[in-house]
Amino acid sequence: MSTPEQAYEPELTGLLVVDPYNDFLSEGGKLYERSRSTLEGRDVVEHMRQVLAAARGAGTQVFIAPHHRWRESDPYSHWKTIPPVQASAAEGRIFADGTWGGSFHPDFQPRPGEVVAHEHWMSSGFANTDLDLQLKKHGVRKVVLIGMRANTCIESTVRFAAELGYEVTVVKDAIGSFGFPEMDASLRFNMPSYARAIVPTDEIVAGLSA
């Protein structure tokens, strides 16, 4: 799904790198084995590198939308409700603060001037964070998404971005998930209702560099 007239003006476009943690993207990470088939099958990390390099080369503002890092001080035991995805992350101490797994993959470390938004507690990069504010303060109207995980944080962030009025592009081979069925369901049936374009890496690289 793409449109020939799609444009990615640097002054209007932001690249959102969602959850680029070692636990997701690096061999030995707590969630890597569950993601391996999609990460390796679509060469996701390399495609993420290419998109990030193209954005930086074009002067496109880069934003990182990180998931909440597990901490000993988390108030989960006092919460009255907790959804399964959040309970699982808490039980597994996913993205534990101060650990290798809870650090950004070395290829996706922010550079000076790039924005790291507040951590999102569950899936949407916008819910209970400053991401929308940061995008607006930088004049962004169009967002390009790469990262993890297709049917949770990527899809939730895509939907929320569309609700807020952003024009959304998803780079379909620069996102991963816990298997092809859940990723394909998001790309085929869910995200096309919210993303204006769903494109491969070579197309977005060309678009950002135009």
Side-chain angles (χ1 to χ4, degrees):
M1 172 185 170
S2 60
T3 53
E5 71 276 11
Q6 192 78 6
Y8 300 98
E9 308 91 336
E11 68 275 11
L12 298 178
T13 304
L15 174 66
L16 300 189
V17 186
V18 182
D19 298 350
Y21 288 117
N22 283 316
D23 267 346
F24 263 146
L25 300 177
S26 297
E27 185 102 32
K30 290 180 179 178
L31 301 176
Y32 186 82
E33 285 303 320
R34 298 187 68 184
S35 309
R36 182 188 290 274
S37 62
T38 61
L39 290 175
E40 297 183 0
R42 295 192 178 169
D43 206 6
V44 169
V45 174
E46 174 57 27
H47 289 143
M48 289 176 64
R49 292 189 191 104
Q50 293 173 17
V51 176
L52 178 58
R56 286 171 168 166
T60 299
Q61 182 66 44
V62 174
F63 302 81
I64 295 178
H67 199 283
H68 175 74
R69 292 174 169 91
W70 180 89
R71 297 173 176 87
E72 289 282 358
S73 59
D74 284 341
Y76 295 124
S77 62
H78 302 290
W79 287 3
K80 303 302 182 186
T81 62
I82 185 168
V85 67
Q86 212 162 33
S88 175
E91 182 179 355
R93 301 187 175 190
I94 305 302
F95 317 131
D97 192 31
T99 70
W100 172 82
S103 301
F104 296 148
H105 184 288
D107 292 339
F108 306 108
Q109 296 288 333
R111 292 182 177 177
E114 297 179 346
V115 176
V116 180
H118 295 164
E119 297 173 1
H120 48 270
W121 280 89
M122 194 162 65
S123 293
S124 171
F126 290 97
N128 305 305
T129 79
D130 64 340
L131 181 57
D132 182 44
L133 174 67
Q134 293 281 8
L135 291 169
K136 287 175 176 172
K137 290 296 187 182
H138 286 82
V140 171
R141 294 291 178 267
K142 305 177 180 183
V143 293
V144 177
L145 276 81
I146 62 175
M148 295 292 286
R149 166 178 162 223
N151 60 309
T152 56
C153 294
I154 296 292
E155 186 175 321
S156 294
T157 303
V158 166
R159 288 171 179 257
F160 211 132
E163 295 277 7
L164 291 170
Y166 294 98
E167 181 178 288
V168 182
T169 294
V170 176
V171 187
K172 62 184 179 181
D173 54 359
I175 61 173
S177 198
F178 289 168
F180 285 106
E182 62 183 42
M183 187 154 74
D184 290 343
S186 287
L187 288 170
R188 290 178 60 196
F189 301 114
N190 298 340
M191 288 193 277
S193 296
Y194 301 94
R196 184 167 184 268
I198 298 176
V199 300
T201 293
D202 58 353
E203 187 169 328
I204 193 63
V205 166
L208 290 169
S209 304

